[in-house]
Structures are given as C-alpha cells and as structure tokens.
Amino acid sequence: MKILTGAQIHELDQYTIDHEPVASIDLMERAARAITSAIAARFEPATPVVVFAGPGNNGGDALAVSRMLSEKGYTVDTYLFNIHNALSDNCEKNRDRLKSEGLVHSFTEVTTNFDPPKLTAQTLVVDGLFGSGLNKPLTGGFASLVKYINQSPARVVSIDMPSGLMSEDNSSNTPTAIIQADLTLTLQMKKLAMFFADCQPYLGKVQVLDIRLSKEYIKSIPSRYTTVDAEYIHKQVIRRNDFAHKGNMGHALLIAGSEGMGGAAVLATRACLRSGVGKVTALTPHCNTTIMQIAVPEAVLSIDQENYYSEAVATEEFDAVGIGPGLGRQEGSALALMSQLQQTQCPVVLDADALNMLGSHGTWINQLPDNMIMTPHPRELDRLASTTCHNDSERLAVARDMAESLRAYIILKGHYTAICLPEGDVVFNTTGNSGMATAGSGDVLTGIITALLARGYSRKNACLVGVYLHGLAGDIAASRIGKESMVASDIIAALPEAFKAL
C-alpha cells in the first residue's frame, strides 16, 4: 500500500471527483457515512456528542457527521468555527443543510468569542477542526481550544488526522497544540506521520476507512513510501525443492557473542537454523563453546581463542554472513570487523555491536562496501550518523539519506520497522507488536535475515520477508502467551508457524 503526502491525497480526491465521476459534496457525504458508521459501532446513542468543526473540508465532514449521528438518535451539539468568514464551499453547504434540517440538539457558528461547552467523562468529542491538509502549527484560539479538549476527561474521535498534527513532518510542530485523540478515523489510507512512534500519543487507535477513492490514480501516482503486505510476501517466498539437500540450501556464518554475551549468539543461531538454511556456522569465543554446543547442537562452531571476536576469517565457503549480536566493543573486535567487511564478498548483515563499533569510529562507515544490510534501532542509527535526531521524522530522513549515500539497506527497527532501500524508497513493515520489545529480539532478526540471504533471497527480499516473518512470529507468540511475558526465544519458537502461514 502506498503512503501519499497531503498534497497527493488532495490530488487523489480531485481525480476521483473528475473521473468516477462524483460531485465533491457527494464524496464528502460518502466519507461522512463511513465515519458515522464507525462511531456508531463503538458508541451507544445515549452518548452525548460534541462536534467541533473547522472552516475547511474537514469541518464539512464533521458537519455531515453531526447530521447523520442526529438521524441515528444521538444528542449532538455542534460548533462551527468561522472566524474569518471564509468557509470552504462544501463546508458551507453542509452548514446550511444542518441548519435547515434542524436535527442537531444545538448548532453554534463561532465568529468572535467562544464560550466552550462542558466536556465530561461521558462526552464524546468529534474533532473535525483540521485534517491532513494542515501545514503549520495551530496558534491562538484554535491552540487554546485544543488544550481545553485535551485537559478534559472526554473521549475524542478525530476525523482523518488529530487537529494540529501534520500528515508528514512534525519536527516544527507545537505538541501542546495537537489533539490527543482516543480514536483516529483516517480516510482511505494511513498518513506518513502515523508510522512514527512520537506521533502515537496523539493518534490513539487508528482505523482506516475505505471511501472508495480512485484505485487507478493510487496505482499510477509515484510514492517513496509504501507498506509491505501479505500478498507481496507470499509471492517472494522461495519454495523448498523436494530434492533439496543441505548442500544446496545455503551455508550461513554468524559472528556473534563475547564473554558474558553467549546468549546473543545462541538466539541468532537458533533463529537462523529455524529460517530454512541448510547449514549454520557460528564463530564465537572459546568461552562460549560449551554454551553453544549444548544450546544449539545443530550448528557448527568456529572458535576464536580470545574472549572476544579478534580476527577476521575466510568466508569463501559461506553464502551469507551476519555480524554483531553480543559481539562486544573491544578495539580488537573493531579492527577485525573492518578487515572482515573488506574481504567478504557474500551478502552481509550488520547488527548490534557491529553497528556500535562503526559508530564509534566516525569515518569507517564511509568505507563500507556497497549493499551492506544494517539493522539499527533508533539510538544505534544516531551513533552511526554521528548526530542526535530530535524526532522520528528527522531520524527516518537520516536513515533514508544514509541508505542512498552508502548504497545500503538500512532496517530502522520500531513498531513500524522502516526498510530504507538504496534507491531512496522506504517500506514500512506491518507485522509485530510491543511484546517484541525485549532483549534478544534484534538478534533473532539478524539470524532470520542471514538465513534468507544464504537461501538465495535477494538483499531487498531478504530484508522485506525477514522483517515481516520476524513480526509475524512475534504476533503468533503474543496470541499464545500475551505480550507482557514474551521473550526472544518465544519468537523463535513461533517461526515454524509463521513460515507455514506463508
């Protein structure tokens, strides 16, 4: 699914109006019916409703919803803010219809002073002040109204976007001037800001409403941002040949573990073995030998005689290499890492301490070969980029620019993990849950992607399928045991079922 900018969504609306064809007021009516149905499915008619409508088309949607909720028996008090005497055409039409039909409990058109209604815990506020077209922070009276709503105990449903939240970059926004919705009913598709963790406090639960905007136009319009879907992943999965043997199913090398961090090597190796590869060799310090032989008997061990990764190894016999889980940050390991990367010809996944070591040696990252796969969490990305990002929008821009400049695959981990491709495109993953926020989860992902590379997946598809599988296994584990008690081993245990689902 493509993620469009606010400007593109406006173009999509207009294209639908011109080519369906459908009158703009009828398209607004269609959207309002979808919004009304979603509200009615969650809130009983006895719920008192207060609607705040702005002067644009988002306000027009809100006025139409006021009318439709009233038709369903809700008691609705509606406030239309027309401070500058400049309503959009459709907002004006819905105002006139609302007034002429007289169904709402009360209607107030605010042109100067505003005496806000009392909002109780029983009240449902429908926020239709501003939608996805907003491009600057709210100020003045609208900012004061937002603060008043946020300080009340009322439940809030926002139409399309919480008022004050911009659909893409909120780095210059004013947090106190953004509605904190309990539910956002967004139209046709999620907006980019909805994929950022720092925007979640304003969004609440997000429900996408299909209002039948032109699929033809969505298909034709270019977008640098998309989400991965199950259909695409299904098509990319490499099927196992009935005559397969371990020699043609790929040989993966994992360089992982240090003294006291043998568990990271165990998790990455188990995940790799569970992801279809024919053979896994784990290079780990001698202090982890017994741990690995007992915990992962299926793996071949290559032993480093120091208590940390100290020397690069030949990789001609391997089809993919994963480096980093539990590796430690010894200077000897850092030197071995760069030597390893410069002599390794097969695909490489860099995670955890491998990324931290690159980040602590500022110029090294610019010496990396093309097509590296890196899996940083937000703080690791900041270290890699030698910067401090102040919000998720800025951090994604940094990751995307880094992927382009290094010709690399940057997997920025999070609730919606962002796979930044060398061409500058970004794909958001749609599987996974907060139960996966546990130590070792990233080690599991490294093992999965390394296995898929060794199996013959392209770098792009190993990233997309690997991240999707990782999240899907996490979702399966959460359905079994709940999110609160999940550990990384539970994700590995659910991998067989995740593969079966694909």
Side-chain angles (χ1 to χ4, degrees), residues 37 113 126 177 189 216 287 294 339 370 409 420 433:
S37 295
N113 296 327
V126 176
M189 62 187 65
E216 177 187 5
C287 56
I294 294 173
S339 175
D370 288 353
Y409 298 81
C420 302
N433 60 81

Side-chain angles (χ1 to χ4, degrees), residues 243-259:
F243 289 86
H245 56 82
K246 69 178 182 182
N248 58 25
M249 294 300 288
H251 187 179
L253 171 66
L254 286 170
I255 301 174
S258 57
E259 188 172 20

Side-chain angles (χ1 to χ4, degrees), residues 245-459:
H245 56 82
K246 69 178 182 182
N248 58 25
M249 294 300 288
H251 187 179
L253 171 66
L254 286 170
I255 301 174
S258 57
E259 188 172 20
M261 293 295 290
V266 170
L267 290 168
T269 305
R270 280 181 174 170
C272 195
L273 285 162
R274 281 291 188 191
S275 298
V277 70
K279 186 177 178 182
V280 178
T281 293
L283 173 61
T284 196
H286 70 92
C287 56
N288 293 329
T289 302
T290 303
I291 296 169
M292 290 290 289
Q293 287 185 327
I294 294 173
V296 201
E298 299 90 345
V300 177
L301 289 191
S302 178
I303 306 301
D304 194 311
Q305 294 307 311
E306 299 292 341
N307 283 340
Y308 57 89
Y309 171 50
S310 64
E311 187 175 356
V313 296
T315 55
E316 289 78 5
E317 66 178 294
F318 302 107
D319 300 295
V321 178
I323 312 176
L327 210 58
R329 304 186 197 180
Q330 298 276 354
E331 185 60 23
S333 296
L335 296 172
L337 171 66
M338 283 307 293
S339 175
Q340 189 74 68
L341 296 180
Q342 289 165 358
Q343 65 179 269
T344 300
Q345 300 301 311
C346 61
V348 176
V349 183
L350 296 175
D351 180 39
D353 283 331
L355 300 176
N356 290 324
M357 286 186 282
L358 286 174
S360 64
H361 294 76
T363 61
W364 283 12
I365 191 167
N366 297 315
Q367 301 174 36
L368 293 178
D370 288 353
N371 294 312
M372 289 284 116
I373 296 174
M374 292 180 265
T375 64
H377 58 56
R379 283 187 298 171
E380 288 169 344
L381 182 79
D382 288 358
R383 294 189 199 108
L384 277 175
S386 299
T387 189
T388 300
C389 297
H390 298 98
N391 56 72
D392 287 344
S393 176
E394 181 182 339
R395 185 169 286 111
L396 180 63
V398 168
R400 179 181 161 184
D401 290 346
M402 183 181 292
E404 279 194 283
S405 64
L406 297 178
R407 303 297 303 162
Y409 298 81
I410 309 291
I411 298 175
L412 181 56
K413 294 183 285 195
H415 179 68
Y416 291 109
T417 290
I419 300 100
C420 302
L421 305 177
E423 302 80 19
D425 294 334
V426 178
V427 184
F428 288 97
N429 186 52
T430 54
T431 57
N433 60 81
S434 59
M436 300 173 72
T438 183
S441 182
D443 303 329
V444 173
L445 178 62
T446 297
I448 294 171
I449 296 174
T450 305
L452 297 180
L453 289 167
R455 281 275 282 115
Y457 286 76
S458 69
R459 289 172 173 84

Side-chain angles (χ1 to χ4, degrees), residues 134-170:
L134 193 72
N135 57 16
K136 59 183 178 181
L138 296 182
T139 58
F142 284 118
S144 297
L145 176 58
V146 166
K147 291 177 185 177
Y148 177 73
I149 294 170
N150 287 343
Q151 289 168 1
S152 79
R155 295 160 291 178
V156 181
V157 174
S158 288
I159 295 174
D160 204 24
M161 291 287 288
S163 291
L165 187 67
M166 290 176 267
S167 57
E168 292 128 45
D169 184 2
N170 285 274

Side-chain angles (χ1 to χ4, degrees), residues 68-354:
M68 294 177 187
L69 286 174
S70 297
E71 290 170 350
K72 290 180 174 290
Y74 290 80
T75 300
V76 182
D77 295 311
T78 302
Y79 296 84
L80 170 62
F81 292 85
N82 188 12
I83 308 299
H84 302 293
N85 194 29
L87 301 179
S88 72
D89 183 55
N90 286 339
C91 186
E92 185 174 350
K93 288 177 180 177
N94 269 300
R95 176 200 64 182
D96 295 344
R97 182 174 178 183
L98 190 68
K99 291 171 67 176
S100 66
E101 294 188 6
L103 292 173
V104 294
H105 179 257
S106 71
F107 173 78
T108 304
E109 186 167 352
V110 180
T111 56
T112 52
N113 296 327
F114 172 56
D115 185 19
K118 184 178 181 180
L119 303 177
T120 70
Q122 287 70 45
T123 306
L124 171 64
V125 170
V126 176
D127 159 37
L129 293 171
F130 298 95
S132 59
L134 193 72
N135 57 16
K136 59 183 178 181
L138 296 182
T139 58
F142 284 118
S144 297
L145 176 58
V146 166
K147 291 177 185 177
Y148 177 73
I149 294 170
N150 287 343
Q151 289 168 1
S152 79
R155 295 160 291 178
V156 181
V157 174
S158 288
I159 295 174
D160 204 24
M161 291 287 288
S163 291
L165 187 67
M166 290 176 267
S167 57
E168 292 128 45
D169 184 2
N170 285 274
S171 57
S172 62
N173 212 336
T174 305
T176 57
I178 305 172
I179 287 285
Q180 295 171 8
D182 298 288
L183 171 66
T184 299
L185 300 174
T186 199
L187 302 177
Q188 198 61 47
M189 62 187 65
K190 288 185 175 181
K191 284 63 180 176
L192 183 61
M194 294 177 173
F195 293 88
F196 298 146
D198 52 13
C199 291
Q200 298 313 303
Y202 310 109
L203 294 163
K205 182 176 177 60
V206 176
Q207 182 178 348
V208 179
L209 303 180
D210 183 1
I211 59 169
R212 306 195 307 279
L213 297 180
S214 173
K215 292 182 179 179
E216 177 187 5
Y217 190 73
I218 294 172
K219 185 176 181 179
S220 67
I221 194 169
S223 175
R224 305 306 296 268
Y225 301 97
T226 57
T227 59
V228 69
D229 56 39
E231 182 180 0
Y232 176 86
I233 297 298
H234 277 284
K235 291 178 180 177
Q236 307 314 314
V237 172
I238 297 176
R239 311 296 170 182
R240 182 174 290 253
N241 188 298
D242 287 344
F243 289 86
H245 56 82
K246 69 178 182 182
N248 58 25
M249 294 300 288
H251 187 179
L253 171 66
L254 286 170
I255 301 174
S258 57
E259 188 172 20
M261 293 295 290
V266 170
L267 290 168
T269 305
R270 280 181 174 170
C272 195
L273 285 162
R274 281 291 188 191
S275 298
V277 70
K279 186 177 178 182
V280 178
T281 293
L283 173 61
T284 196
H286 70 92
C287 56
N288 293 329
T289 302
T290 303
I291 296 169
M292 290 290 289
Q293 287 185 327
I294 294 173
V296 201
E298 299 90 345
V300 177
L301 289 191
S302 178
I303 306 301
D304 194 311
Q305 294 307 311
E306 299 292 341
N307 283 340
Y308 57 89
Y309 171 50
S310 64
E311 187 175 356
V313 296
T315 55
E316 289 78 5
E317 66 178 294
F318 302 107
D319 300 295
V321 178
I323 312 176
L327 210 58
R329 304 186 197 180
Q330 298 276 354
E331 185 60 23
S333 296
L335 296 172
L337 171 66
M338 283 307 293
S339 175
Q340 189 74 68
L341 296 180
Q342 289 165 358
Q343 65 179 269
T344 300
Q345 300 301 311
C346 61
V348 176
V349 183
L350 296 175
D351 180 39
D353 283 331

